[in-house]
Amino acid sequence: LRPGALAALTVRSLEQRLGVLLVGKDKAGRDRKIKLPPATAQFFSAQAEGKTPGAPLLSRADGKGWDEDAWKWLIKDAAQAAKLPADTTCSAIRHSVITDLVTGGFDLLTVALLSGSSVAMIERHYGHLRVEHAATALATLARAHHAVRARVRRISRHARDRDRARHQVLSGEQSNRGGRGAGLEADRLRVDRA
């Protein structure tokens, strides 16, 4: 989520019973609902406890809502503690998370939903990160293709060998019949002459 979208959340934004967060219009220009994992839903439920529906869901110790002036110094302190660059911002952290989601193999629709962006925007700004993912997918397809071709060759070879064996058996039976038939005819002739 964008920092401003988080700051704009009210207690009303949380559907506690369903564990769903309604994120109002932000830069993406439309509302969206995000199903929360159980631990996150519990965190937000604890934040909502005892507050009125219109109160900020995430508030400072004095009960006031967050804004850029209130969080920017805390972000600087946290960045310093984490040994991140001094110019780290909420937006930079957001872009890092999106990058991790994209390179981690999440589908772009899910990344777009979570980040409050469109799939087209995610593709435009982060699509180049999927090149390695695409190469891995092609390698997997190539391995599967080779395995299927090898199996088809084995099945074809087996079927060809089976057909040859059948043909040999049938050819052998016909020649045996011919031989036996000729022998029986000769035996009949001998009996008739006697």
Side-chain angles (χ1 to χ4, degrees), residues 101-183:
L101 292 173
V102 169
T103 58
F106 283 83
D107 65 278
L108 299 185
L109 179 61
T110 299
V111 176
L113 174 71
L114 293 174
S115 64
S117 191
S118 67
V119 173
M121 189 67 72
I122 295 295
E123 286 176 338
R124 187 172 332 145
H125 293 285
Y126 302 95
H128 66 282
L129 301 172
R130 300 290 288 204
V131 172
E132 212 41 56
H133 187 71
T136 301
L138 283 175
T140 301
L141 285 173
R143 283 192 302 276
H145 175 72
H146 290 300
V148 167
R149 284 186 64 193
R151 180 153 172 81
V152 167
R153 281 193 299 269
R154 280 193 305 273
I155 290 170
S156 296
R157 201 172 318 125
H158 175 72
R160 190 174 52 245
D161 292 347
R162 185 188 63 226
D163 289 347
R164 280 185 192 148
R166 278 188 190 149
H167 179 70
Q168 288 172 349
V169 166
L170 291 175
S171 295
E173 285 178 5
Q174 287 175 354
S175 66
N176 286 342
R177 280 190 203 135
R180 241 183 316 177

Side-chain angles (χ1 to χ4, degrees), residues 29-93:
R30 64 186 185 290
D31 294 346
R32 65 187 187 281
K33 291 183 176 185
I34 298 175
K35 176 72 175 154
L36 301 171
T40 307
Q42 288 174 346
F43 169 79
F44 279 117
S45 291
Q47 299 303 308
E49 198 171 308
K51 294 180 181 177
T52 62
L57 182 58
L58 301 173
S59 56
R60 297 181 281 176
D62 62 6
K64 293 181 182 174
W66 289 95
D67 59 32
E68 188 175 357
D69 290 331
W71 72 60
K72 71 180 169 186
W73 299 112
L74 293 173
I75 295 296
K76 296 281 183 203
D77 292 345
Q80 184 179 14
K83 297 183 172 127
L84 295 174
D87 61 348
T88 298
T89 63
C90 286
S91 293
I93 293 170

Side-chain angles (χ1 to χ4, degrees), residues 9-10 12-15 20-24 31-34:
L9 293 175
T10 62
R12 189 179 294 113
S13 304
L14 179 64
E15 295 179 17
V20 171
L21 192 63
L22 175 63
V23 180
D31 294 346
R32 65 187 187 281
K33 291 183 176 185
I34 298 175

